[in-house]
C-alpha cells in the first residue's frame, strides 16, 4: 500500500513540469498528515494534536445517498480514486525475423516504436517525480497490446494545485431552489408548470473564496480529504499536471499530453465517467442513481424536450464551460418562442390577405395588355400576366407586416442579449466564475514551452514565458492575408454560382415549354442555392483546419485568447461564406441590369434581374435552402457520425481484446470505446450563424425564427445525448460566459438593424407603393402601369417591338422625377428607422442593469464572509446564509461565535463535500431546517 507522510514529500520533484519555479519542499508545506492512497490519515490535517477547535468551520453533514458502484473507478486496492486514464496501443513484434525487402521497414517500425516508448517512459517518470500515483492495466491479443495507465493525485498534490489554479473553496452552504423567471411567472398566475421536474441529488450552492492551504480548516468538509475535492476538480488538477509535464526536449516544445496525443504516442487521455448511463433493470430510488444516470434520465431523453435543463447537475459533472453553453442554448431557445409566434402570425396574415393584394390583382387581370421586353438576348417577348402566381406568392414576403416584424426582431435581439447578460452574471456568480478570466487564467502549456524568452509579470512580479508583441503582430498580419485570399476564393465561387444561374435560366427559356419558361427563375434560383450550400459546407471544413494552424502559429498567451482569435478567424470567413449569396440577392441583384438597348453585362452575359415575384421571394428561397439545409445536414451529422465512429471504435477494440471479448470490460475500457469529445466550437458557430439568419434577413423570411426554434429543440437533446452517452468525459473547464461569441452576437444584432432598414427601403416594394398612394391614388389604381416604363426610342428604331420593363424611366432611358423622390424617401426612411431603433435600444440597455441587484448583494455577502473566514482570528461566522443577506444573519455573523460543534457532547457527523443535502443540524437543541 502506498503510504507517505507529508514531511516525506520534501523530495517531490517539479522540475519536470513547465513553469513551476518553487522547490519541492515548498509545494507541500509542513502539515504532518498521513495519506494512505488518498484516504484519511490518523493525524489532523490542520496542525498538531491539541489545536484549538475554535478555528473549525460550520460543518454541513452530507447525506450519502448515492454510493459508487463497488470495484468502480479505483485502483486495485479498492481505495485510491482514478482521476485520469492514459491509453496507448502497441503492436507485438513477431519472433520470426523477416528477410529480403521486408526487413528494412520492420527495422524502421521497431525503431519508431522504441522512440515512442522512450517518450512514454520519460513522461511517466516525470509524473512520478511530480507525485502522481500510477497503476497499469493491459489487454493482450495475438498481435496487439492495449495499455491503460490509471492516474491519481494524492491529497497533498490536490491541495497544492488547488491554490496554484485559484480554485474556489466553500465557506457556507446556502439554499439552491429550483426557480427561474418562467416558473415564478406561472406561479404568480397560479397556473401549473409542465416544464418543471424534480431532479434528485441537486447540488448545493455555496459562498466561496479562493482556496488557501494555510486556511484549510476554515473550509467546509476539509476534514475528509477523500471527498473534499469533487471528481471534476480532481480531473482538472491532474490534467493541469499532464499539460505541464515534459516528455522530450523543451526547446522542441515536447511538453504536455496534448502534443503526445497529436503525435500518436498515446491513443487517448480522459477522466472516467461515473458509472454507466443505462438505467438498472430493477426499480431503484431516484436518489441512488449515479450522476451520469441522472443526466441521462432527466436531461438526455427525447421525452424531456420541454423540461427545464438540470444546469447545476451539468455543471457538477462536465464543468462550467459545458454548462454555460447549454444554459445559453436553452435561454436562446426559450426566447425564440415569442419571435416564432409573431413571425408565424405575420406570415399567416400575409397568406390571408394575399387575395386582396391590389398590385397582384392588376397583374393577373392584365391579360395581354402589357407586352414585356425579352429577358435575354435570344429570348422572346412575354406578357406580365404570365407571372400571376408568383406575384401572389411574392406578397407573402413583401407586405406591411414584414416591416413591423423587422422592427420587432431588432428590439427582440437587443433585449435578448441584455437579459442574457443578467442570466450570465447570475450563473457566473452561482458557479464561482465571475472573476475567472481577468485574474486566474494561466499561460497555455504550449505557449510556455515555445515562448522564446522570459519576462517579469508586472502584476505578480513572477517571471513568465513571453512572446514579443512585434513578432506576434507580424504573424497576425500574415494570417490576415491568408484570410483575405480565402475570402477571394469565396467570391470566385459566388460568381461561378451566378453564372450557373444565368446558364440554367437561358436553357429553360430555350426549351419552348411555357411552364419551364415561367418558372425558369425559380428553378435556377433553387438549384443554385443547393449548389451554393454544398460549396459553403466544403469551404467551411477546409478553412477551419487552416485557421486552427494559423492561430497556433500566432502564439497567444492564454487559452481564452487563443480560442477568441480562432473564433474570430473562422467566423469572419463563415460570415462571408454563408451570407455573401443572400447579400448579393438582397442588394445587388437587379440593380445593374440597365435598360433595353443598353443592358449591363458581365463576362459577356447580361446581368441578372430579379425574378417575376421580386427579389424578396428569391431571397426567401435562398434563406430557406441555406439555413434549413444547413440545419438538416448538421443534425444528420450529429446523429449519425457519433454512432458510426463509436461502432468503428468498438469494432477495432474487439479485435484487440480477442479472447477477452466475452468478459465485461472495466470502466476505463468501456470509456475508451466511446469517441473523443469534439468540444463546443462547432455548436456555438452553428447557433451564431443561425442567429444571423433570423435577425439580419428577417424582413424577407418571417418563418426563420420558427425553423430555428424547431431545430434547437432537437439540437439540445442531440448534444445532451452526445455528452452523456457517446462522448468520453471531457476535462471540466471553467468559463465566465460564452466569451467572444457574445461580442459577435452584439455585432450581428447591430448589423441586423442596418440591413433590415436597407432591405425595406431598396428591396421591398413597400416604399414605392406608399409614395404612389400619397402622390397619386390611395387605392393603388393604375399602380402597375405606373411602375412599367416603355422601351427607349433607340431600341424601337433598331427593329424591336415596343415593350415594357420595370423601372422609373422615360422614353429616352433617363430616370423620372418620381425615381429621385423615391430615392430621397428611401434614404430618409433608413435614417429615421436606424435612429429610432438605435435610440430605443440604448434606452433598453440603460434601463436593464447587467447584473441583478440580488446578485450584487450575494457578491458583497460572499466578500464579507471570505474576509472574516480568512482573517487571522480564531472565530468564524455562525449562521448559514439563506440566499441574500438579512439583518439577522449579518448580526449573527458579526457576533463571531465559536463553532456549534465544539463541546456540548454532540458527535460531529462525518463531513463530506456533498451536493445533495436535504437538511442540516446546527446543534443539539436546534431544529432541523430543510434546504429546499
Amino acid at each position: 500500500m502506498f503510504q507517505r507522510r507529508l514531511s516525506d514529500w520534501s523530495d517531490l520533484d517539479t522540475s519536470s513540469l513547465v513553469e513551476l519555479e518553487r522547490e519541492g519542499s515548498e509545494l507541500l508545506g509542513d502539515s504532518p498528515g498521513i495519506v494512505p492512497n488518498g484516504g484519511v490519515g490518523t493525524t489532523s490535517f490542520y496542525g498538531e494534536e491539541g489545536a484549538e477547535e475554535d478555528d473549525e468551520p460550520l460543518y454541513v453533514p452530507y447525506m450519502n445517498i448515492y454510493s459508487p458502484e463497488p470495484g468502480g473507478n479505483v485502483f486495485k486496492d479498492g481505495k485510491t480514486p482514478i482521476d485520469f486514464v492514459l491509453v496507448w496501443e502497441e503492436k507485438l513484434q513477431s519472433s520470426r525475423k523477416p528477410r529480403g525487402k521486408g526487413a528494412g521497414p520492420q527495422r524502421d517500425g521497431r525503431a519508431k516504436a522504441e522512440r515512442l516508448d522512450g517518450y512514454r517512459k520519460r513522461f511517466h517518470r516525470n509524473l512520478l517525480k511530480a507525485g502522481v500515483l500510477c497503476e497499469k492495466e493491459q489487454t493482450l491479443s495475438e498481435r496487439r497490446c492495449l495499455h491503460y495507465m490509471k492516474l491519481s493525485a494524492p491529497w497533498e498534490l490536490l491541495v497544492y494545485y488547488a491554490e496554484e489554479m485559484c480554485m474556489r473553496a466553500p465557506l457556507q452552504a446556502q439554499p439552491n431552489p429550483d426557480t427561474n423567471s418562467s416558473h415564478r411567472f406561472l406561479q404568480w398566475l397560479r397556473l401549473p408548470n409542465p416544464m418543471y421536474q424534480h431532479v434528485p441529488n441537486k447540488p448545493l450552492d455555496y459562498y466561496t473564496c479562493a482556496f488557501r492551504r494555510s486556511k484549510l480548516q476554515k473550509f467546509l468538509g476539509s476534514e475528509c480529504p477523500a471527498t473534499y475535492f469533487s471528481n471534476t476538480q480532481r480531473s482538472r488538477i491532474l490534467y493541469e499536471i499532464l499539460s505541464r509535464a515534459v516528455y522530450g526536449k523543451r526547446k522542441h516544445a515536447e511538453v504536455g499530453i496534448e502534443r503526445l496525443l497529436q503525435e500518436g504516442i498515446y491513443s487517448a487521455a480522459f477522466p472516467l465517467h461515473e458509472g454507466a448511463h443505462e438505467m438498472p433493470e430493477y426499480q431503484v430510488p431516484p436518489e441512488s442513481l449515479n450522476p451520469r444516470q441522472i443526466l441521462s434520465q432527466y436531461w438526455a431523453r427525447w421525452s424531456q424536450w420541454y423540461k427545464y435543463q438540470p444546469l447545476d447537475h451539468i455543471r457538477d459533472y462536465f464543468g462550467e464551460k459545458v454548462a454555460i453553453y447549454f444554459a445559453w442554448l436553452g435561454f436562446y431557445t426559450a426566447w425564440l418562442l415569442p419571435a416564432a409566434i409573431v413571425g408565424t402570425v405575420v406570415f399567416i396574415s400575409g397568406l390571408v390577405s394575399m387575395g386582396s393584394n391590389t398590385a397582384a390583382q392588376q397583374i393577373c387581370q392584365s391579360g395581354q395588355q402589357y407586352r414585356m421586353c425579352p429577358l435575354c438576348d435570344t429570348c422572346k417577348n412575354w406578357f406580365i400576366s404570365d407571372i400571376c402566381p408568383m406575384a401572389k406568392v411574392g406578397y407573402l414576403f413583401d407586405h406591411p407586416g414584414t416591416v413591423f416584424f423587422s422592427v420587432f426582431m431588432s428590439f427582440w435581439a437587443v433585449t435578448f442579449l441584455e437579459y442574457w447578460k443578467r442570466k450570465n452574471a447570475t450563473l457566473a456568480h452561482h458557479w464561482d466564475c465571475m472573476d475567472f478570466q481577468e485574474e486566474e487564467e494561466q499561460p497555455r502549456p504550449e505557449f510556455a514551452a515555445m515562448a522564446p524568452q522570459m519576462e517579469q509579470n508586472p502584476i505578480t512580479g513572477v517571471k513568465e514565458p513571453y512572446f514579443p508583441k512585434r513578432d506576434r503582430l507580424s504573424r497576425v498580419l500574415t494570417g490576415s492575408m491568408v484570410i483575405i485570399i480565402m475570402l477571394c476564393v469565396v467570391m470566385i465561387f459566388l460568381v461561378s454560382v451566378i453564372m450557373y444561374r444565368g446558364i440554367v435560366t437561358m436553357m429553360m427559356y430555350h426549351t419552348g415549354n411555357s411552364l419551364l419558361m415561367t418558372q425558369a427563375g425559380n428553378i435556377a434560383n433553387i438549384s443554385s442555392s443547393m449548389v451554393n450550400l454544398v460549396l459553403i459546407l466544403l469551404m467551411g471544413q477546409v478553412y477551419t483546419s487552416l485557421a486552427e494552424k494559423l492561430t497556433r502559429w500566432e502564439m497567444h498567451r492564454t487559452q481564452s485568447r487563443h480560442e477568441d482569435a480562432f473564433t474570430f478567424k473562422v467566423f469572419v470567413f463563415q460570415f462571408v461564406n454563408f451570407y455573401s449569396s443572400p447579400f448579393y440577392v438582397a442588394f445587388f441583384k437587379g440593380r445593374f441590369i440597365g435598360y433595353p438597348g443598353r443592358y449591363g453585362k458581365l463576362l459577356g452575359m447580361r446581368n441578372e434581374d430579379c425574378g417575376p415575384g421580386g427579389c424578396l421571394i428569391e431571397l426567401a428561397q435562398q434563406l430557406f435552402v441555406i439555413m434549413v439545409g444547413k440545419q438538416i445536414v448538421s443534425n444528420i451529422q450529429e446523429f449519425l457520425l457519433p454512432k458510426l465512429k463509436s461502432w468503428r471504435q468498438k469494432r477495432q477494440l474487439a479485435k484487440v481484446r480477442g479472447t477477452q471479448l466475452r468478459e465485461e470490460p472495466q470502466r476505463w475500457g468501456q470509456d475508451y470505446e466511446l469517441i473523443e469529445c469534439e468540444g463546443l466550437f462547432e455548436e456555438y458557430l452553428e447557433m451564431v450563424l443561425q442567429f444571423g439568419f433570423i435577425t439580419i434577413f428577417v424582413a424577407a423570411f418571417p418563418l426563420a425564427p420558427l425553423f430555428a426554434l424547431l431545430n434547437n429543440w432537437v439540437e439540445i437533446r442531440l448534444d445532451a445525448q452526445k455528452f452523456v452517452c457517446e462522448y468520453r468525459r471531457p476535462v471540466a473547464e471553467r468559463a465566465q460566459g460564452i466569451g467572444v461569441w457574445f461580442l459577435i452576437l452584439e455585432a450581428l444584432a447591430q448589423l441586423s438593424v442596418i440591413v433590415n432598414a436597407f432591405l425595406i427601403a431598396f428591396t421591398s416594394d413597400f416604399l414605392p407603393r406608399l409614395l404612389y398612394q400619397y402622390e397619386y391614388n390611395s387605392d393603388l389604381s393604375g399602380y402597375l402601369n405606373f411602375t412599367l416604363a416603355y422601351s427607349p426610342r433607340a431600341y424601337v428604331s433598331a427593329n424591336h417591338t415596343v415593350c415594357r420593363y420595370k423601372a422609373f424611366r422615360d422614353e429616352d432611358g433617363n430616370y423620372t422625377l418620381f425615381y429621385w423622390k423615391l430615392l430621397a424617401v428611401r434614404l430618409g426612411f433608413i435614417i429615421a428607422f436606424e435612429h429610432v431603433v438605435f435610440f430605443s435600444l440604448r434606452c433598453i440597455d440603460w434601463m436593464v442593469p447587467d447584473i441583478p441587484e440580488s446578485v450584487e448583494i450575494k457578491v458583497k455577502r460572499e466578500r464579507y464572509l471570505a474576509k472574516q473566514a480568512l482573517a487571522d482570528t480564531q472565530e468564524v461566522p455562525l449562521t448559514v446564509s439563506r440566499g441574500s443577506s438579512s439583518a439577522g444573519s449579518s448580526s449573527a455573523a458579526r457576533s463571531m461565535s465559536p463553532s456549534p460543534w465544539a463541546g456540548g457532547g454532540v458527535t460531529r457527523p462525518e463531513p463530506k463535500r456533498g451536493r445533495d443535502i436535504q437538511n442540516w443540524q446546527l446543534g443539539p437543541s436546534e431544529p432541523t431546517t430543510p434546504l429546499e
Side-chain angles (χ1 to χ4, degrees):
M1 180 180 292
F2 178 89
Q3 184 168 336
R4 213 171 177 181
R5 291 182 179 273
L6 267 171
S7 57
D8 297 335
W9 281 76
S10 59
D11 62 338
L12 185 137
D13 184 11
T14 60
S15 61
S16 57
L17 303 181
V18 177
E19 269 310 287
L20 287 182
E21 298 181 352
R22 306 182 183 183
E23 296 294 332
S25 59
E26 187 183 8
L27 177 117
L28 296 167
D30 53 0
S31 297
I34 297 178
V35 185
N37 286 329
V40 183
T42 58
T43 309
S44 170
F45 276 83
Y46 317 124
E48 300 293 338
E49 295 181 3
E52 296 185 19
E53 295 186 356
D54 294 293
D55 287 339
E56 298 172 356
L58 179 64
Y59 291 100
V60 181
Y62 168 58
M63 296 180 63
N64 190 10
I65 301 174
Y66 159 66
S67 58
E69 53 190 66
N73 301 351
V74 292
F75 281 15
K76 290 180 180 179
D77 60 9
K79 297 179 180 179
T80 307
I82 301 174
D83 300 324
F84 226 88
V85 175
L86 305 178
V87 186
W88 70 96
E89 299 181 18
E90 180 182 4
K91 289 184 179 181
L92 300 180
Q93 301 295 330
S94 175
S95 59
R96 298 176 58 184
K97 296 183 178 180
R99 299 179 180 178
K101 297 181 179 180
Q106 182 162 350
R107 282 196 301 270
D108 295 340
R110 187 180 294 112
K112 181 181 178 181
E114 291 176 355
R115 179 174 61 86
L116 299 183
D117 189 56
Y119 283 146
R120 276 192 295 267
K121 288 181 178 179
R122 183 177 180 187
F123 190 68
H124 294 165
R125 285 197 301 269
N126 288 337
L127 292 179
L128 290 172
K129 288 181 182 179
V132 178
L133 308 181
C134 303
E135 186 177 78
K136 186 178 177 183
E137 300 270 356
Q138 63 183 19
T139 302
L140 289 171
S141 66
E142 295 180 358
R143 297 184 179 180
R144 289 177 178 269
C145 182
L146 193 60
H147 300 271
Y148 299 95
M149 180 65 75
K150 299 176 288 184
L151 307 177
S152 180
W155 168 256
E156 297 83 0
L157 208 59
L158 294 172
V159 169
Y160 171 77
Y161 272 95
E163 184 171 358
E164 178 78 12
M165 297 170 63
C166 298
M167 286 188 169
R168 307 290 293 185
L171 291 170
Q172 283 190 1
Q174 64 171 333
N176 188 15
D178 296 314
T179 58
N180 54 54
S181 56
S182 61
H183 184 69
R184 290 192 295 268
F185 179 71
L186 291 175
Q187 280 185 331
W188 180 72
L189 295 177
R190 297 183 179 180
L191 295 175
N193 187 3
M195 298 176 288
Y196 174 79
Q197 63 173 343
H198 173 70
V199 182
N201 301 345
K202 183 176 182 180
L204 268 181
D205 192 13
Y206 293 97
Y207 284 125
T208 63
C209 68
F211 183 87
R212 294 289 181 270
R213 286 178 294 162
S214 59
K215 303 296 181 180
L216 186 61
Q217 70 276 16
K218 301 289 186 178
F219 303 131
L220 289 180
S222 55
E223 273 196 350
C224 189
T227 55
Y228 179 75
F229 291 103
S230 65
N231 290 332
T232 53
Q233 291 173 325
R234 296 178 68 96
S235 63
R236 187 186 300 162
I237 290 174
L238 204 31
Y239 180 77
E240 183 74 13
I241 299 173
L242 291 172
S243 298
R244 297 183 179 192
V246 179
Y247 69 90
K249 296 182 179 180
R250 296 192 187 188
K251 64 180 180 180
H252 295 158
E254 293 173 339
V255 177
I257 187 63
E258 290 299 329
R259 183 158 181 186
L260 287 166
L261 291 171
Q262 291 173 3
E263 295 185 0
I265 300 174
Y266 289 104
S267 303
F270 52 88
L272 295 178
H273 279 292
E274 298 182 30
H277 66 84
E278 298 89 355
M279 295 293 291
E281 298 179 355
Y282 50 90
Q283 190 71 23
V284 295
E287 290 77 13
S288 64
L289 298 175
N290 68 48
R292 194 180 180 195
Q293 289 172 333
I294 289 177
L295 290 175
S296 177
Q297 181 74 7
Y298 294 92
W299 179 46
R301 293 171 58 200
W302 288 102
S303 59
Q304 306 298 312
W305 66 271
Y306 62 97
K307 299 290 187 180
Y308 294 134
Q309 297 185 90
L311 295 177
D312 285 335
H313 293 76
I314 299 171
R315 178 250 181 172
D316 224 34
Y317 195 78
F318 293 111
E320 291 83 3
K321 192 171 186 178
V322 174
I324 281 284
Y325 163 72
F326 282 103
W328 175 82
L329 182 57
F331 189 81
Y332 169 52
T333 304
W335 272 71
L336 279 175
L337 186 59
I341 293 174
V342 176
T344 305
V345 170
V346 169
F347 182 80
I348 293 175
S349 66
L351 193 65
V352 171
S353 60
M354 186 170 58
S356 60
N357 179 21
T358 304
Q361 288 178 351
Q362 292 176 8
I363 292 175
C364 296
Q365 296 171 4
S366 63
Q368 298 184 357
Q369 181 179 357
Y370 301 107
R371 183 188 298 271
M372 306 300 293
C373 296
L375 297 174
C376 64
D377 294 337
T378 58
C379 299
K380 299 180 181 180
N381 295 91
W382 54 287
F383 296 101
I384 198 171
S385 59
D386 296 340
I387 65 168
C388 173
M390 293 305 300
K392 291 182 178 180
V393 174
Y395 184 74
L396 290 174
F397 306 97
D398 189 5
H399 61 93
T402 58
V403 179
F404 159 77
F405 189 55
S406 63
V407 177
F408 170 82
M409 287 303 295
S410 298
F411 285 104
W412 175 90
V414 175
T415 307
F416 157 70
L417 294 177
E418 287 300 319
Y419 276 90
W420 167 248
K421 287 181 187 178
R422 295 169 58 85
K423 179 71 173 178
N424 187 42
T426 303
L427 291 176
H429 175 260
H430 179 49
W431 293 339
D432 301 320
C433 294
M434 183 163 278
D435 300 322
F436 161 65
Q437 289 185 345
E438 290 79 1
E439 299 176 1
E440 302 174 17
E441 196 167 10
Q442 302 294 323
R444 292 168 54 240
E446 190 175 0
F447 173 86
M450 298 180 67
Q453 61 192 69
M454 304 286 288
E455 290 286 342
Q456 187 175 14
N457 188 317
I459 299 175
T460 63
V462 178
K463 281 192 174 182
E464 292 183 353
Y466 178 76
F467 191 82
K469 294 183 179 179
R470 191 171 184 178
D471 294 346
R472 181 182 293 114
L473 180 60
S474 64
R475 295 189 178 191
V476 170
L477 292 176
T478 304
S480 301
M481 295 300 104
V482 176
I483 296 176
I484 293 174
I485 293 173
M486 293 299 295
L487 295 180
C488 293
V489 173
V490 173
M491 293 295 104
I492 292 173
F493 280 127
L494 176 60
V495 174
S496 302
V497 170
I498 293 172
M499 296 181 66
Y500 163 84
R501 193 157 46 221
I503 293 171
V504 171
T505 304
M506 292 180 62
M507 291 175 59
M508 295 294 105
Y509 285 143
H510 288 132
T511 59
N513 188 308
S514 59
L515 178 62
L516 292 178
M517 290 175 63
T518 55
Q519 299 298 324
N522 290 328
I523 295 173
N525 191 49
I526 294 175
S527 62
S528 65
S529 298
M530 293 181 177
V531 173
N532 191 33
L533 176 62
V534 174
L535 294 175
I536 286 172
L537 297 177
L538 291 177
M539 288 295 296
Q541 293 295 327
V542 172
Y543 181 77
T544 300
S545 60
L546 177 61
E548 187 173 0
K549 294 179 181 178
L550 286 174
T551 309
R552 287 180 180 175
W553 183 58
E554 290 173 0
M555 288 289 291
H556 295 279
R557 179 180 177 273
T558 63
Q559 185 65 24
S560 292
R561 291 182 182 178
H562 176 86
E563 292 178 357
D564 290 349
F566 175 67
T567 300
F568 177 77
K569 287 183 180 64
V570 175
F571 177 77
V572 168
F573 176 80
Q574 293 286 41
F575 180 87
V576 178
N577 195 24
F578 273 90
Y579 299 141
S580 58
S581 183
F583 264 101
Y584 165 76
V585 174
F587 302 115
F588 297 99
K589 187 176 182 180
R591 307 295 173 191
F592 310 102
I593 58 174
Y595 54 89
R598 293 188 62 181
Y599 286 113
K601 293 188 177 182
L602 176 65
L603 301 177
M605 296 179 59
R606 186 191 295 185
N607 292 339
E608 280 191 303
D609 193 5
C610 293
C615 280
L616 275 185
I617 190 171
E618 292 190 26
L619 180 59
Q621 291 171 348
Q622 287 259 356
L623 294 174
F624 177 81
V625 172
I626 296 176
M627 175 184 169
V628 179
K630 172 68 167 61
Q631 291 178 351
I632 293 174
V633 171
S634 298
N635 287 334
I636 292 174
Q637 287 179 339
E638 291 186 28
F639 181 76
L640 292 180
L641 287 184
K643 298 185 184 300
L644 293 175
K645 290 179 180 179
S646 180
W647 171 80
R648 182 185 176 188
Q649 178 82 350
K650 290 179 181 179
R651 186 179 178 184
Q652 291 176 346
L653 291 179
K655 296 179 181 179
V656 177
R657 291 209 304 265
T659 56
Q660 303 178 18
L661 185 61
R662 295 181 181 178
E663 300 178 6
E664 182 69 21
Q666 297 289 342
R667 170 51 48 198
W668 47 88
Q670 295 177 17
D671 284 8
Y672 185 53
E673 292 178 350
L674 303 177
I675 62 176
E676 183 181 1
C677 180
E678 298 174 352
L680 297 170
F681 175 79
E682 292 294 335
E683 313 297 340
Y684 273 121
L685 180 63
E686 180 184 354
M687 291 297 105
V688 170
L689 290 173
Q690 180 197 91
F691 183 83
F693 278 117
I694 68 170
T695 54
I696 295 179
F697 301 105
V698 73
F701 193 32
L703 291 179
L706 177 62
F707 286 109
L709 177 65
L710 297 175
N711 172 79
N712 289 6
W713 276 335
V714 176
E715 181 76 21
I716 291 176
R717 302 307 149 187
L718 280 177
D719 290 346
Q721 286 188 351
K722 286 193 302 183
F723 274 92
V724 175
C725 306
E726 294 165 355
Y727 280 166
R728 296 172 192 152
R729 189 175 184 179
V731 179
E733 297 182 58
R734 300 184 69 190
Q736 187 182 25
I738 62 176
V740 72
W741 295 111
F742 183 81
L743 301 178
I744 294 174
L745 291 172
E746 281 192 319
L748 289 176
Q750 304 295 325
L751 179 63
S752 68
V753 177
I754 301 173
V755 172
N756 281 298
F758 276 88
L759 202 63
I760 295 170
F762 286 95
T763 309
S764 170
D765 282 337
F766 173 73
L767 291 181
R769 288 196 298 261
L770 198 64
L771 183 59
Y772 180 84
Q773 286 178 310
Y774 176 78
E775 288 202 345
Y776 297 98
N777 199 316
S778 59
D779 60 359
L780 290 177
S781 178
Y783 176 72
L784 176 61
N785 181 60
F786 183 79
T787 59
L788 298 178
Y790 286 94
S791 55
R793 296 187 182 93
Y795 179 79
V796 177
S797 62
N799 297 325
H800 290 94
T801 307
V802 177
C803 58
R804 309 291 292 271
Y805 64 101
K806 193 170 184 179
F808 297 109
R809 294 178 182 267
D810 57 21
E811 293 183 352
D812 294 325
N814 299 319
Y815 287 117
T816 62
L817 180 61
F818 185 85
Y819 171 83
W820 298 109
K821 290 182 179 179
L822 179 60
L823 181 61
V825 170
R826 283 170 168 168
L827 296 176
F829 173 82
I830 291 172
I831 295 173
F833 183 91
E834 290 180 355
H835 278 67
V836 170
V837 173
F838 280 134
F839 175 75
S840 303
L841 299 183
R842 295 288 80 77
C843 291
I844 294 174
D845 189 11
W846 176 71
M847 290 187 296
V848 180
D850 293 346
I851 301 177
E853 184 180 358
S854 59
V855 174
E856 291 181 347
I857 295 175
K858 289 182 179 179
V859 170
K860 294 177 182 178
R861 171 69 174 164
E862 189 170 59
R863 289 174 181 171
Y864 169 76
L865 289 175
K867 181 179 179 181
Q868 295 296 322
L870 300 183
D872 292 328
T873 62
Q874 301 299 320
E875 299 173 338
V876 293
L878 169 64
T879 57
V880 173
S881 170
R882 313 191 61 79
S884 57
S885 59
S886 59
S889 62
S890 298
S891 60
R894 285 191 297 268
S895 67
M896 304 295 290
S897 300
S899 169
W901 297 108
V906 181
T907 302
R908 180 186 297 129
E910 181 181 356
K912 295 188 178 182
R913 179 74 189 275
R915 297 285 196 260
D916 315 311
I917 305 172
Q918 303 300 322
N919 54 67
W920 67 84
Q921 193 171 340
L922 294 180
S925 60
E926 298 282 349
T928 299
T929 307
L931 263 181
E932 298 177 330

